[in-house]
Amino acid sequence: MTDTEYKVLSDGRRLDVLLSEETGLSRSRVASLMEDGLCVSGGKACTKAGTKLPAGQEIILTVPAPKEAVPKAEDIPLEILYEDEDLAVVIKPRGMVVHPAAGHPDGTLVNALLARLDSLGGIGGELRPGIVHRLDKETSGLMLVAKNDETQEELSRMLKDREIEKHYRALAEGRFKEQEGEINAPIDRSKKDRKKMAVDPDGRPALTRWKVLAEGQACTLLDVHILTGRTHQIRVHLRSIQHPVCGDELYGFEKGVKVPCLMLHAYSLKFRHPRTKEEMSFQAPLPEDFKEGLRKNGIEDNSELRIQNSEL
């Protein structure tokens, strides 16, 4: 791939605004390119995003060809529910790490996406997918992935402004006194154990809503709607009300309900497409190990109809 050169005539506006409109790149990406000296006018580099030039003056912006991402593409089975030129919706299997990191250099969702997605436009100058939100390694379910800078930026904004609706299925320890409720408690890194998160009055705001779907012998199946995206949010919040997620080795009871896995699954996703503005909705069926955990605790598969039809 080769570098791309854009020639634009100034109209008196800020260069980051003008060049973003003319090239389709996000303003932050344009600003980064300008800082690198890749925006030139009259033989001089324009390095500040807020620069304004006289109308009619030619500006040349060079966009380097995307570099190969450090993670390598790997042919790993992955279910893709939807893909277009801007984004993809995929189902992350349980046990898969999202990003390569120490201890997990390969076999991750990013490695799989690099091999499976078509026409990656590049994120931050690299040929890589943009992960908009994350799931813990042992949590399965839906994930939204951006394929270019502009989509990444807009989806991140939508997530921050609560314009992306995410529902989970969680099997929680014990029975609930109410049929639905809300947990509004800030979360921060635990001061006692740095591997954990915890409810902390000095932490970042976190809001979780839950609704009972079915009751088992000593547990409850919930629809969980998170309105913020803090690390381990559902697991921490349910533990804080003494109903931890079944099978949670980090936050669960020492002698809890017997299940084959962490009983947490990202079940549904709703959002408006950032470019076409089309309303989009996806569901990921419960995986077999999750269903097995339900059956072992007295929740039969015929409850699936109630599960699928339930929304907060």
Side-chain angles (χ1 to χ4, degrees):
M1 299 179 69
T2 59
D3 296 351
T4 301
E5 187 176 273
Y6 294 94
K7 294 184 178 181
V8 179
L9 294 180
S10 173
D11 60 6
R13 288 184 294 165
R14 289 173 55 113
L15 291 189
D16 59 340
V17 174
L18 171 64
L19 292 171
S20 175
E21 289 185 5
E22 293 292 331
T23 64
L25 300 172
S26 67
R27 286 177 62 180
S28 60
R29 176 66 172 139
V30 169
S32 177
L33 293 171
M34 293 180 69
E35 289 177 3
D36 290 340
L38 296 174
C39 177
V40 177
S41 183
K44 296 181 179 180
C46 302
T47 59
K48 295 184 179 180
T51 298
K52 296 180 181 179
L53 297 176
Q57 189 165 321
E58 186 179 67
I59 307 150
I60 300 175
L61 179 69
T62 301
V63 181
K67 303 174 183 176
E68 290 294 333
V70 174
K72 300 301 181 183
E74 295 181 46
D75 187 13
I76 302 171
L78 183 69
E79 186 172 359
I80 300 176
L81 296 185
Y82 176 83
E83 182 182 3
D84 62 25
E85 61 186 291
D86 299 305
L87 57 86
V89 178
V90 305
I91 299 180
K92 185 188 86 68
R94 189 180 319 285
M96 176 181 279
V97 173
V98 174
H99 282 286
H104 300 283
D106 48 33
T108 71
L109 179 67
V110 168
N111 295 114
L113 290 170
L114 285 169
R116 296 294 305 279
L117 295 185
D118 296 324
S119 306
L120 277 174
I123 304 292
E126 289 187 353
L127 286 173
R128 62 179 177 86
I131 303 299
V132 179
H133 59 103
R134 301 190 183 194
L135 293 179
D136 300 334
K137 177 183 177 182
E138 297 305 321
T139 301
S140 57
L142 293 169
M143 290 196 66
L144 184 56
V145 180
K147 296 177 64 176
N148 53 60
D149 275 316
E150 190 174 15
T151 302
Q152 167 89 347
E153 189 171 86
E154 179 61 8
L155 288 176
S156 296
R157 181 202 63 77
M158 291 166 63
L159 193 64
K160 180 180 178 181
D161 293 343
R162 301 182 182 180
E163 296 175 14
I164 298 177
E165 185 175 342
K166 297 185 291 180
H167 286 255
Y168 291 69
R169 297 300 181 240
L171 187 68
E173 299 275 0
R175 297 288 191 94
F176 286 68
K177 295 179 180 179
E178 306 293 334
Q179 288 299 298
E180 57 186 272
E182 179 177 287
I183 307 169
N184 190 353
I187 292 176
D188 203 350
R189 182 71 58 182
S190 171
K191 295 179 175 63
K192 297 180 180 179
D193 184 346
R194 302 305 291 174
K195 294 180 180 179
K196 293 184 177 182
M197 306 299 289
V199 168
D200 186 324
D202 297 324
R204 300 176 68 189
L207 179 60
T208 301
R209 292 176 180 157
W210 56 266
K211 180 178 180 180
V212 171
L213 297 177
E215 293 182 325
Q217 296 160 355
C219 54
T220 305
L221 180 63
L222 303 174
D223 176 288
V224 182
H225 178 199
I226 59 172
L227 289 91
T228 50
R230 307 302 173 220
T231 301
H232 298 175
Q233 178 173 321
I234 295 174
R235 300 163 66 186
V236 171
H237 269 174
L238 289 179
R239 173 66 201 214
S240 74
I241 61 171
Q242 300 305 305
H243 293 288
V245 177
C246 296
D248 193 336
E249 296 182 358
L250 194 59
Y251 300 100
F253 294 147
E254 186 174 342
K255 295 183 179 180
V257 170
K258 300 298 182 183
V259 289
C261 60
L262 175 69
M263 297 293 283
L264 186 61
H265 176 69
Y267 178 74
S268 71
L269 187 63
K270 293 182 181 179
F271 61 97
R272 188 183 296 274
H273 194 288
R275 182 173 55 82
T276 68
K277 308 307 177 186
E278 176 187 357
E279 290 285 352
M280 311 197 78
S281 179
F282 300 92
Q283 290 184 342
L286 299 178
E288 288 305 314
D289 52 2
F290 197 112
K291 291 181 179 180
E292 180 186 348
L294 295 182
R295 289 192 295 269
K296 285 184 175 180
N297 287 281
I299 300 176
E300 299 298 328
D301 281 348
N302 59 16
S303 66
E304 184 76 7
L305 181 60
R306 294 203 309 276
I307 294 171
Q308 290 178 346
N309 290 337
S310 174
E311 291 294 348
L312 290 178

